[in-house]
Amino acid sequence: MGFSEPEKQLLADFWHCDDVAAQKGLAAIDMFDAVADGRIKAIWIMGTNPVVSLPNSDKVAKALADCPFVVVSEVIPDTDTAKLADVLLPAQGWSEKCGTVTNSERTITRQRGFAKPKGQAKPDWWAVSQVATKMGFEGFSFADSAAVFKEHAQLSSKVTQTFPYKRFDLSGLTQLSPQAYDDLPPTQWPVKDASQIGQANTRVFTDGQFATHSGKAQFIKTKLVDLELATTERMATASVLLLNSGRSRDQWHTMTRTGHIASLRASIPEPQISVNPTQLGILGLKPFQLVKIKSASERLSAFTAARVIADGDIPVNQAFMSMHWSQQFSLTRGVNQAISAAFDPVSQQAAFKCQPVALSPLHLSLQGVVFGLHDSEAGGLCWQVPQKLTNGVCHHIGFEHDHDGFAHQPSPHVLTWTMTLTTQICADQILHIQCHQEKGVLASLKILSDKPVLVALEPMQSFVGQVLDRKLIQQIHAQIRAGNSPLVCACTGVSEADISNEISRQFDHQLMQSGIDQLDFNAALDKTQSSLGCGRQCGSCNSEVKQCATRGWQDALSFVVEHDAQQTTSAKEGAA
């Protein structure tokens, strides 16, 4: 509905009230500007984590910290936003709540809670109704979500009766009994009568009429707004890139739930920024190096940090970083504190996809990972990312000064040594290893270096709690030398190395059985996935599995072709 006098009157009559909104409210960025300057003195936040998800998030955090009264409804008590609440209300999670969900192609689906709500957790509609009633408002005596939905459907029916050109119509759902509501099958709106319950694959606007007074589409003439992007002098600076922020495969929103699941954290354990390899050369950066990401705007001083990943799919002069990270999971917090609050003036959508940022090295004397006992408040930490593992938590850490690296001693019984090995980072990388024991067992294992430490996290974590003896130290050494292979399939725990080894085995089998002319990559890929299970569970990693298998297949094929060419050359030289 809009804000015309007839529309406002309809709503006032339907709700039996004299006062309804005369204009739309503030969009998210404008709303927190109003909180910051004191125009809004009380705010109730539901179902979102704005301290992480909004741009210029430092400003959002300060606005909430200074706001006289902040209420947050949450299922997780330690989100960045929840920590700023004056009143924290326990909300129900998706598995606990009951209601409906409508997707982008208009299908209404019943959401039925299947887990018993914990503690005093309540649905949002109940909390709002209770507060409204206590404030003296009438019409909020809903018994359940079915009653809320019924009013929703009745209002839609009244609107389409008065304004026939509007298309959202749930008239056919206004008389649902509690049982019929509970049994409601997925249904696409508009639902003009009960006979349409369960309908699917319907289309609107097939009559050539749009949902406007005239029935015609309305185009909006827009103005080109200078967001200080590619046209500015700053973009000509080699260190400035156009940042696109978005989602990573295994995480959801600000990681408040998925960030605590070991299998989902395994694929991307630390904040990463993906940059084209050519661009890395221009910037003088190396893969896996830690960098600061700061807005190219001189008005913002905050920065975040991430580990650089070389990605040939990213265009030169651009970069991509996940939007999921926050102070809850990273000492340097998330990407949104390093971008401006510029937004489109029509849609009010923030410019998350096109922000000019400057990259610079984050200089560390020591960096690495610690398993077991760890002081997250230890002095000198300038990089810290806790990661949930199957049996415990490890911490990716970094220090500006050498002496801070081993300053924290969780126990008086300590064993420290160094080892040198060749890794994918460099030849002759020096690793500093420190073990702490309590009552004869390993309580803490810290591995630091002046370069990134790449080890298999789950196997290293499994050493914690074991008897610290010569045999265990040998096992630790062997595991460190084995290195680490990135996880591809979160469902099965399959890594790049697993896929590469299996596709090579399938290649060798076909080569021996049928010869090089009969090689079949698709058949080998199918057998690889059947053998390992990768891409056969949720399917979200299918493209990555195929990419990894393709690289392994091409490497094997190149080796055979080159070997055959050398054999042919040698034979010709012998004949000559």
Side-chain angles (χ1 to χ4, degrees):
M1 294 182 67
F3 296 92
S4 67
E5 288 302 323
E7 289 171 302
K8 289 190 295 182
Q9 189 60 51
L10 182 153
L11 197 57
D13 293 341
F14 182 82
W15 276 341
H16 307 293
C17 64
D18 299 325
D19 187 17
V20 296
Q23 62 186 15
K24 64 181 180 180
L26 296 174
I29 293 175
D30 287 338
M31 181 185 299
F32 282 93
D33 284 343
V35 174
D37 64 26
R39 284 175 289 153
I40 292 178
K41 293 179 171 58
I43 188 169
W44 189 352
I45 300 170
M46 292 181 172
T48 186
N49 192 7
V51 172
V52 181
S53 60
L54 288 181
N56 195 2
S57 52
D58 274 4
K59 179 180 179 180
V60 175
K62 186 178 186 307
L64 289 178
D66 294 341
C67 184
F69 189 57
V70 177
V71 181
V72 177
S73 295
E74 251 295 356
V75 298
I76 306 294
D78 57 352
T79 70
D80 289 26
T81 301
K83 291 177 180 178
L84 297 172
D86 296 298
V87 176
L88 183 59
L89 298 178
Q92 289 183 359
W94 67 272
S95 61
E96 301 169 327
K97 65 175 66 173
C98 181
T100 61
V101 175
T102 305
N103 70 12
S104 58
E105 45 89 84
R106 312 185 328 277
T107 296
I108 302 168
T109 303
R110 275 284 286 113
Q111 178 178 343
R112 302 170 180 88
F114 59 85
K116 183 180 179 180
K118 295 182 178 180
Q120 295 179 302
K122 298 290 185 181
D124 292 338
W125 66 262
W126 181 90
V128 171
S129 297
Q130 291 292 307
V131 171
T133 300
K134 293 295 184 181
M135 293 177 67
F137 294 101
E138 298 180 355
F140 287 89
S141 56
F142 299 109
D144 49 32
S145 63
V148 178
F149 182 81
K150 186 172 185 177
E151 180 174 301
H152 176 54
Q154 290 173 339
L155 178 58
S156 76
S157 178
K158 186 69 174 178
V159 169
T160 51
Q161 290 173 19
T162 309
F163 306 102
Y165 63 87
K166 293 183 181 291
R167 299 302 180 100
F168 180 70
D169 188 358
L170 302 183
S171 298
L173 303 178
T174 57
Q175 301 303 316
L176 290 179
S177 66
Q179 187 62 49
Y181 170 77
D182 195 50
D183 296 337
L184 182 68
T187 302
Q188 270 189 321
W189 65 263
V191 188
K192 296 182 180 299
D193 59 67
S195 67
Q196 295 176 312
I197 292 177
Q199 70 180 354
N201 301 317
T202 63
R203 297 183 67 93
V204 292
F205 308 128
T206 55
D207 57 0
Q209 298 294 302
F210 287 84
T212 60
H213 284 287
S214 65
K216 296 180 179 180
Q218 296 179 348
F219 290 91
I220 299 174
K221 182 180 179 181
T222 60
K223 296 180 179 180
L224 181 63
V225 178
D226 180 13
L227 295 180
E228 300 182 333
L229 301 179
T231 57
T232 67
E233 293 182 1
R234 287 193 300 275
M235 284 303 296
T237 304
S239 62
V240 176
L241 306 178
L242 205 58
L243 179 67
N244 173 13
S245 60
R247 301 181 183 277
S248 58
R249 188 193 69 195
D250 293 336
Q251 294 301 327
W252 179 252
H253 289 344
T254 57
M255 292 170 56
T256 53
R257 288 177 293 180
T258 53
H260 297 283
I261 301 173
S263 60
L264 299 182
R265 282 294 305 275
S267 58
I268 303 180
E270 299 175 281
Q272 297 178 351
I273 184 166
S274 298
V275 181
N276 187 282
T278 300
Q279 189 69 48
L280 288 182
I282 296 173
L283 297 174
L285 300 173
K286 297 179 180 179
F288 306 111
Q289 185 175 355
L290 284 168
V291 295
K292 291 182 179 180
I293 301 107
K294 183 180 181 299
S295 173
S297 171
E298 296 177 355
R299 295 187 297 272
L300 294 178
S301 59
F303 72 89
T304 188
R307 202 170 288 283
V308 171
I309 300 297
D311 188 342
D313 292 332
I314 303 294
V316 175
N317 295 327
Q318 295 189 25
F320 174 82
M321 184 172 174
S322 161
M323 48 75 74
H324 306 294
W325 297 95
S326 67
Q327 189 172 17
Q328 186 179 2
F329 295 100
S330 175
L331 182 64
T332 57
R333 294 180 285 179
V335 66
N336 285 335
Q337 69 187 24
I339 63 177
S340 74
F343 61 89
D344 176 75
V346 178
S347 68
Q348 306 291 303
Q349 176 63 39
F352 292 119
K353 301 297 181 182
C354 51
Q355 289 272 354
V357 297
L359 303 188
S360 60
L362 177 60
H363 296 291
L364 299 176
S365 293
L366 289 174
Q367 59 182 294
V369 60
V370 58
F371 305 89
L373 296 179
H374 170 65
D375 180 11
S376 60
E377 302 295 328
L381 279 169
C382 55
W383 173 255
Q384 180 171 233
V385 179
Q387 180 183 347
K388 180 70 171 67
L389 301 175
T390 304
N391 295 302
V393 177
C394 73
H395 290 78
H396 305 271
I397 54 178
F399 301 89
E400 184 178 358
H401 304 293
D402 286 348
H403 62 265
D404 289 323
F406 295 101
H408 172 63
Q409 301 295 331
S411 78
H413 307 291
V414 59
L415 180 64
T416 302
W417 72 95
T418 62
M419 63 182 293
T420 303
L421 71 162
T422 298
T423 68
Q424 65 186 97
I425 299 295
C426 70
D428 299 327
Q429 181 177 0
I430 298 176
L431 299 179
H432 307 277
I433 305 165
Q434 186 177 78
C435 293
H436 286 267
Q437 64 172 327
E438 287 187 351
K439 298 180 180 180
V441 301
L442 181 65
S444 173
L445 171 60
K446 183 183 292 185
I447 308 171
L448 299 179
S449 175
D450 62 340
K451 298 179 179 62
V453 173
L454 303 181
V455 294
L457 302 176
E458 291 284 1
M460 298 301 295
Q461 174 66 28
S462 69
F463 295 138
V464 176
Q466 295 190 32
V467 175
L468 183 57
D469 54 16
R470 184 183 184 88
K471 181 180 178 181
L472 185 63
I473 292 175
Q474 290 174 339
Q475 291 175 338
I476 291 173
H477 269 233
Q479 188 59 59
I480 290 174
R481 293 185 184 281
N484 186 33
S485 177
L487 184 74
V488 174
C489 180
C491 298
T492 60
V494 171
S495 67
E496 286 186 2
D498 295 328
I499 297 170
S500 180
N501 291 337
E502 181 61 24
I503 200 74
S504 295
R505 194 179 72 82
Q506 296 294 335
F507 179 94
D508 292 342
H509 179 74
Q510 288 189 18
L511 186 65
M512 295 294 292
Q513 292 289 322
S514 307
I516 193 169
D517 293 334
Q518 299 298 317
L519 291 175
D520 186 340
F521 170 74
N522 290 326
L525 176 62
D526 181 68
K527 289 186 176 181
T528 295
Q529 290 188 272
S530 296
S531 173
L532 300 177
C534 51
R536 296 293 172 86
Q537 307 296 317
C538 73
S540 65
C541 66
N542 256 324
S543 61
E544 292 173 73
V545 171
K546 186 173 182 179
Q547 289 173 1
C548 184
T550 299
R551 290 193 297 269
W553 185 269
Q554 290 175 342
D555 288 343
L557 185 60
S558 297
F559 175 80
V560 171
V561 171
E562 183 179 348
H563 181 265
D564 287 351
Q566 290 175 350
Q567 293 279 14
T568 301
T569 300
S570 297
K572 289 181 178 179
E573 290 175 349

